[in-house]
Amino acid sequence: MPLAPTVRTRADDPAVALVDRLPGRDTTTWVHGGDGFAGWGEAARLDIGTGPARFAVGAAQLAEHFSQLVVDDAIRAPGSGPVAFASITFDADSPGSVLVVPAVVWARREGRAWRTVVGDAAPPRPRSEQAGDDKIRYAGSSIPDLQWLDAVATATRRIDAGSLDKVVLARDQTVWSRTPFDPGRLVRRLAATFPDCYTFSVDGLVGATPELLVRRTGPRVDSLVLAGTARRDRDPVADARLGEDLLVSRKERSEHRFAVASVADTLTPRCAQLTVGAEPTILRLANVQHLATRIRGTLAGPAWPTAFELAGALHPTAAVCGTPTDDALAVIRELEGMDRGRYAGPVGWVDAAGNGEFGIALRCAQLEGARARLFAGAGLVADSLPEEELEETRLKLRAMQSAFAGP
């Protein structure tokens, strides 16, 4: 029987930016404000399959895998030692979920930095960015804009008739280039443009999500719920007015309220204490602004669920699916006209102690060599207007379009 590999974690140079550690295409990334992880290679890849039990299957496989490792951890902090990264499909019936333990992980957290190596993996040198013809060409969507507008109108009529309260419909946009897209280059651009977002790259899914589904640090849990969107304006006065209008919009607040309730209702029975922001605030990003509510709590003991298990319990929230969940999911499957893949699914990391962070895979693209699918969605409630929802998706798509466009 082969010996279990030793996982060694040692201090590293905190002056080197994580995005500058990326050695090439075989990378895994989770960065927020300069902190996070940059991984390379694969020490293990776990197959969690499809169906409603996939998070339970993944949690059990992770626990077994971690238990077999010999860990030599000189740091002993959340995210040190072996770390797994996950990117899960939105629909439980869709294949393609990824759960991987990198061979090498560079990490940075609150001024400290470290490197974790599994077995005898040799950390590669960072690859210099190669020039290439990465100008994007647009190749259309899974369904035409007019058909998507009809789908929004149909869904809104059902909401008005009382069939459901909210549903989120997404659309995609396919782009291509003469040379394969470089995920490391996209990560660097996104991290520089959206430092307040969680920039991620897992098995070809690259993006910068503003939405923190859940963070678990010991017994502490945090979530940042976003729903309700307005554009930005270069004029500070006009920009502030757009934010004020967003805060008082009945339609946007209704959409936001459903999203907050879906997270709070899931976390409440798992927590000894939970605090939900009384009123939404405005989160301003480079291209849009959102209604935001922060949720904080303390998990009930004695055995705390892992960050991966919490992500599974929360998914899908009303922010990306709708409410009631089953009714909204049925409408998505009927009207959206595409398979979301891992768009709008949980993406993030978890360590052997169960600590971790998971975002919702928004503002992202799935890379397939020289082709990519970009995604954006809009939440529909009573009073939603199809043309306004289409414009909202266009605003959101610009985040990834700008990353592909350069410089």
Side-chain angles (χ1 to χ4, degrees):
M1 184 174 181
L3 295 175
T6 298
V7 180
R8 294 181 175 84
T9 300
R10 297 290 184 269
D12 203 19
D13 184 1
V16 181
L18 288 174
V19 294
D20 292 334
R21 296 286 194 185
L22 300 176
R25 299 184 185 279
D26 190 15
T27 59
T28 304
T29 314
W30 177 268
V31 178
H32 177 247
D35 284 0
F37 304 90
W40 172 83
E42 288 186 9
R45 177 179 282 252
L46 308 178
D47 182 7
I48 69 172
T50 60
R54 58 193 178 145
F55 282 96
V57 170
Q61 290 185 352
L62 273 177
E64 180 180 2
H65 177 77
F66 285 147
S67 70
Q68 295 175 351
L69 300 174
V70 177
V71 180
D72 180 7
D73 182 1
I75 302 299
R76 298 187 178 278
S80 66
V83 177
F85 293 81
S87 176
I88 310 300
T89 57
F90 169 79
D91 194 322
D93 292 340
S94 295
S97 294
V98 176
L99 189 56
V100 62
V101 179
V104 182
V105 174
W106 294 269
R108 189 178 186 280
R109 179 186 177 93
E110 298 176 350
R112 302 176 69 191
W114 58 88
R115 184 178 69 188
T116 297
V117 179
V118 179
D120 297 325
R125 294 181 178 179
R127 188 190 62 178
S128 60
E129 210 170 80
Q130 297 178 355
D133 178 15
D134 62 353
K135 177 182 178 182
I136 60 172
R137 285 85 168 169
Y138 293 92
S141 304
S142 292
I143 63 174
D145 287 0
L146 286 177
Q147 186 178 340
W148 195 82
L149 288 169
D150 287 341
V152 171
T154 299
T156 304
R157 285 195 297 270
R158 295 182 187 178
I159 293 171
D160 292 338
S163 299
L164 68 166
D165 296 315
K166 175 186 175 179
V167 65
V168 179
L169 289 184
R171 53 191 290 263
D172 63 357
Q173 184 178 69
T174 301
V175 299
W176 65 278
S177 173
R178 296 189 186 280
T179 57
F181 292 117
D182 183 342
R185 181 181 297 179
L186 291 171
V187 164
R188 283 185 278 272
R189 290 171 178 170
L190 289 167
T193 305
F194 303 102
D196 294 329
C197 290
Y198 297 85
T199 300
F200 59 88
S201 174
V202 181
D203 203 43
L205 187 72
V206 181
T209 179
E211 188 144 2
L212 179 66
L213 179 62
V214 66
R215 176 191 296 120
R216 202 211 90 172
T217 309
R220 300 194 307 274
V221 290
D222 292 271
S223 181
L224 180 64
V225 181
L226 305 180
T229 305
R231 65 179 177 86
R232 299 296 308 273
D233 196 289
R234 294 182 179 180
D235 180 351
V237 175
D239 192 59
R241 186 180 303 114
L242 288 167
E244 292 168 1
D245 291 344
L246 182 61
L247 278 172
V248 299
S249 168
R250 184 179 67 175
K251 180 263 181 186
E252 302 294 345
R253 288 181 71 99
S254 174
E255 178 186 344
H256 186 78
R257 184 172 64 253
F258 290 127
V260 172
S262 70
V263 173
D265 290 348
T266 300
L267 290 180
T268 295
R270 293 169 172 82
C271 288
Q273 175 272 331
L274 191 72
T275 301
V276 181
E279 291 290 328
T281 58
I282 294 294
L283 176 66
R284 288 184 170 88
L285 304 174
N287 60 327
V288 294
Q289 46 192 324
H290 297 289
L291 292 179
T293 294
R294 190 170 295 280
I295 298 176
R296 292 187 172 95
T298 304
L299 292 169
W304 305 320
T306 68
F308 183 73
E309 291 171 316
L310 288 170
L314 287 164
H315 178 74
T317 71
V320 292
C321 181
T323 188
T325 302
D326 290 343
D327 296 331
L329 184 57
V331 171
I332 290 170
R333 288 169 171 167
E334 175 191 353
L335 298 179
E336 204 166 69
M338 68 174 188
D339 184 349
R340 292 186 180 186
R342 290 181 281 146
Y343 163 73
V347 59
W349 64 274
V350 60
D351 66 15
N355 301 303
E357 293 176 302
F358 280 84
I360 300 176
L362 305 174
R363 317 296 199 275
C364 63
Q366 178 65 55
L367 309 183
E368 299 290 347
R371 297 180 66 85
R373 288 176 70 204
L374 285 58
F375 302 91
L380 313 179
V381 293
D383 302 328
S384 290
L385 298 176
E387 293 79 9
E388 292 182 357
E389 304 304 331
L390 180 63
E391 180 60 25
E392 180 176 326
T393 65
R394 288 170 174 164
L395 286 172
K396 292 175 178 177
L397 283 168
R398 289 175 189 168
M400 287 307 300
Q401 290 169 345
S402 64
F404 278 92

